[in-house]
Amino acid sequence: MPILMRSPDEVGSWIWYVEAPENPDIRDCLDVLARVAGVLENHDLMKSNVIETCWNQYGKGKIGIWTKSSLNTPFSDPSSAEFVQQSKPAGFPDSYADYIETVSLGTWIDETGRRRQELQLINLSISPEPGEIQVEIRVHHDIWSWYDFSGHPHPKVYKQNAPRLAAALEEVGKTLEVDTENGESTYFGVSEGFWIKRPDEEDLVDGLAMDATDRL
């Protein structure tokens, strides 16, 4: 069975800033999360009912506490927001949810066309900010890139997966009705449009890209 290598930093990332109330609460965040997760699920890239929440304290920042919530209702259901709110650390009654990330399974397709499941194939996170909610999607595997982590091209894997991701990302932007921004580059890659940018031809050596396995 093929095993996907996962990079510690993202291969590519995409960001959207969604208009929200001045002080977005958990329900506002989960409403946005539900819209994005629905798009990703329709493309078989993510299925989740579990989220992890980072709690901050006003005036002090992060308190170092995360909670994991397994929800029995859809993200957009008001009872889901209430359930997450009830997981707030009792010792910090004035804390608030500063960052929410899904725990999910996604489907990727190997070079033979077989569909396989992978934990955290897609990282989807939500961050409330004054007047807006930041949505970020990150990917950490080489199946979205023309070259694998060792620098060798793998066109069959790429063609089975990258177009699916690109179509989903484009749909997310249309669903949220905001422009898509590309995240910053890392040692392992950078997004360009809805794709992972290919290295320039002059950066290839004998047709191979950089070998990034030294940092996996």
Side-chain angles (χ1 to χ4, degrees):
M1 176 183 295
I3 297 177
L4 289 184
M5 291 188 290
R6 181 182 177 88
S7 58
D9 298 314
E10 60 266 27
V11 172
S13 59
W14 297 265
I15 300 170
W16 298 265
Y17 293 95
V18 183
E19 186 176 351
E22 182 59 29
N23 295 300
D25 59 18
I26 293 175
R27 182 169 180 177
D28 296 319
C29 292
L30 292 188
D31 283 344
V32 173
L33 184 68
R35 295 164 64 191
V36 178
V39 171
L40 296 175
E41 184 170 350
N42 288 340
H43 289 265
D44 290 330
L45 293 170
M46 190 187 92
K47 187 173 181 63
S48 173
N49 69 330
V50 177
I51 60 172
E52 293 182 335
T53 306
C54 176
W55 299 90
N56 279 19
Q57 193 172 24
Y58 289 107
K60 296 183 179 180
K62 295 180 180 179
I63 59 177
I65 297 178
W66 286 74
T67 57
K68 180 180 288 188
S69 305
S70 180
L71 305 174
N72 295 319
T73 52
F75 292 136
S76 58
D77 192 298
S79 63
S80 292
E82 182 179 357
F83 184 78
V84 176
Q85 182 65 31
Q86 290 172 345
S87 74
K88 180 170 66 173
F92 300 88
D94 61 343
S95 61
Y96 65 97
D98 180 65
Y99 183 87
I100 297 173
E101 182 159 13
T102 58
V103 179
S104 65
L105 281 174
T107 299
W108 69 282
I109 305 172
D110 67 19
E111 63 179 9
T112 69
R114 183 172 178 180
R115 303 174 73 84
R116 300 182 180 276
Q117 295 287 297
E118 182 73 15
L119 181 66
Q120 294 301 84
L121 185 70
I122 301 288
N123 286 79
L124 168 61
S125 62
I126 301 288
S127 301
E129 300 176 3
E132 64 185 14
I133 294 173
Q134 177 183 311
V135 179
E136 184 173 19
I137 289 175
R138 304 184 309 281
V139 294
H140 290 255
H141 300 95
D142 60 7
I143 60 174
W144 319 110
S145 304
W146 184 259
Y147 298 91
D148 64 19
F149 285 137
S150 67
H152 292 79
H154 55 173
K156 289 184 179 179
V157 172
Y158 174 85
K159 291 176 181 178
Q160 296 275 29
N161 296 284
R164 298 168 53 229
L165 176 63
L169 294 170
E170 184 173 9
E171 187 176 338
V172 167
K174 292 178 179 178
T175 299
L176 297 178
E177 299 182 320
V178 293
D179 293 335
T180 307
E181 299 184 16
N182 292 113
E184 296 183 359
S185 63
T186 72
Y187 185 74
F188 301 96
V190 63
S191 54
E192 183 177 62
F194 299 116
W195 305 80
I196 303 302
K197 186 180 185 300
R198 293 194 195 186
D200 295 330
E201 288 292 328
E202 57 266 27
D203 294 328
L204 302 179
V205 178
D206 295 329
L208 303 181
M210 180 187 70
D211 184 346
T213 57
D214 61 317
R215 295 194 186 181
L216 294 180

